[in-house]
Amino acid sequence: MVILVITVLIIIVGLFFIGKDYMRARNMIENAEGAMFPSNYDTEKNIMTYRGEAQAPSFRSKNWKWKHWFVVVTTLFILVIMGVVISQGPLFEWHNVVFLPVFFLLTLFNNQIPSFLVMPSGIYVDERFYRWNTLRSFETRPLKLGSNAYGLFENSSSYTEIEIKNEKEKSLFVYILNEQDVEELREILRQKGLRDDTEGLSEEKVSLDN
């Protein structure tokens, strides 16, 4: 009986987080029209994150359609499992529960839409929203050998890596191909009160060279 209760609770919590993740992505797409950066997406404006190429958020995009139907099918699958669990009752064994947390974690991790949006109130990075008052500093540098993203996508050495740090010193990364776009983003981040550590690094390098 204990195993049955634990299993049902895991399923309910898992469904809650899947639903929360789904609504988070939906809200991002609904808010995308108010983005300060990028103002538009085209084939020359390549913006990458760890999740892949950040394309224009849209309910017509392949990424959203995939996420939508994946959530629908996953939810139905989970409800079927719940029905099996309840029908078996005390006969349901603990080893059948082990895969559920792993399944939920893989579902949430592998179903994020690659995204980067700068909004008046904060930024979206791979669906997650960070308010300006939680962000502290940023740094830009060429994407070189040694970076975690080097070789992660085609022509990666031509990109600029932008590292944005929050109040907990956790780093958020975005990679931009066009140098003009990099400068536009830097200016917005400065205007929003983030410290530009790139300038400090440049001055330090000059002093060392002298």
Side-chain angles (χ1 to χ4, degrees):
M1 187 63 181
V2 175
I3 297 298
L4 175 62
V5 173
I6 292 174
T7 304
V8 172
L9 286 175
I10 291 174
I11 290 174
I12 291 172
V13 171
L15 285 173
F16 170 78
F17 281 105
I18 288 176
K20 184 178 179 181
D21 177 72
Y22 177 85
M23 292 307 300
R24 181 178 63 188
R26 186 178 182 86
N27 289 337
M28 179 191 71
I29 295 173
E30 289 176 345
N31 295 330
E33 289 185 2
M36 301 169 63
F37 178 91
S39 54
N40 56 56
Y41 291 80
D42 54 52
T43 55
E44 299 301 323
K45 186 176 288 222
N46 291 329
I47 301 175
M48 309 292 295
T49 70
Y50 279 137
R51 307 299 304 169
E53 184 177 1
Q55 300 177 347
S58 168
F59 291 117
R60 296 182 180 180
S61 69
K62 289 182 179 179
N63 284 331
W64 169 256
K65 289 179 179 178
W66 161 254
K67 186 181 188 81
H68 174 78
W69 286 111
F70 185 83
V71 168
V72 170
V73 172
T74 300
T75 301
L76 291 174
F77 174 69
I78 292 169
L79 291 175
V80 169
I81 291 177
M82 180 178 280
V84 172
V85 169
I86 293 173
S87 65
Q88 287 191 359
L91 298 177
F92 195 76
E93 298 180 1
W94 69 268
H95 59 79
N96 293 322
V97 185
V98 175
F99 85 97
L100 284 174
V102 177
F103 173 76
F104 284 127
L105 288 173
L106 289 175
T107 298
L108 292 170
F109 182 76
N110 291 315
N111 202 27
Q112 292 179 342
I113 297 175
S115 48
F116 181 73
L117 291 170
V118 179
M119 311 296 295
S121 55
I123 63 173
Y124 282 101
V125 181
D126 292 338
E127 296 183 6
R128 293 186 178 275
F129 184 70
Y130 304 86
R131 294 192 175 278
W132 290 120
N133 60 6
T134 67
L135 303 175
R136 294 290 175 261
S137 63
F138 72 95
E139 180 184 331
T140 64
R141 52 182 170 264
L143 183 51
K144 295 182 178 179
L145 186 65
S147 168
N148 290 333
Y150 187 85
L152 189 64
F153 42 86
E154 187 178 355
N155 200 27
S156 61
S157 60
S158 299
Y159 283 71
T160 297
E161 180 178 69
I162 296 95
E163 179 182 6
I164 302 172
K165 290 187 178 180
N166 65 11
E167 58 190 354
K168 297 180 180 178
E169 292 300 311
K170 177 184 177 182
S171 294
L172 312 171
F173 291 94
V174 63
Y175 311 94
I176 300 179
L177 181 63
N178 191 314
E179 188 61 33
Q180 247 183 337
D181 299 330
V182 174
E183 290 305 315
E184 180 184 349
L185 177 58
R186 285 184 67 183
E187 184 58 31
I188 293 174
L189 295 177
R190 288 195 200 103
Q191 290 175 1
K192 291 298 182 178
L194 274 68
R195 185 181 69 250
D196 188 351
D197 288 341
T198 309
E199 296 176 349
L201 289 173
S202 299
E203 291 173 2
E204 183 180 344
K205 182 178 179 181
V206 170
S207 64
L208 288 173
D209 291 340
N210 291 336

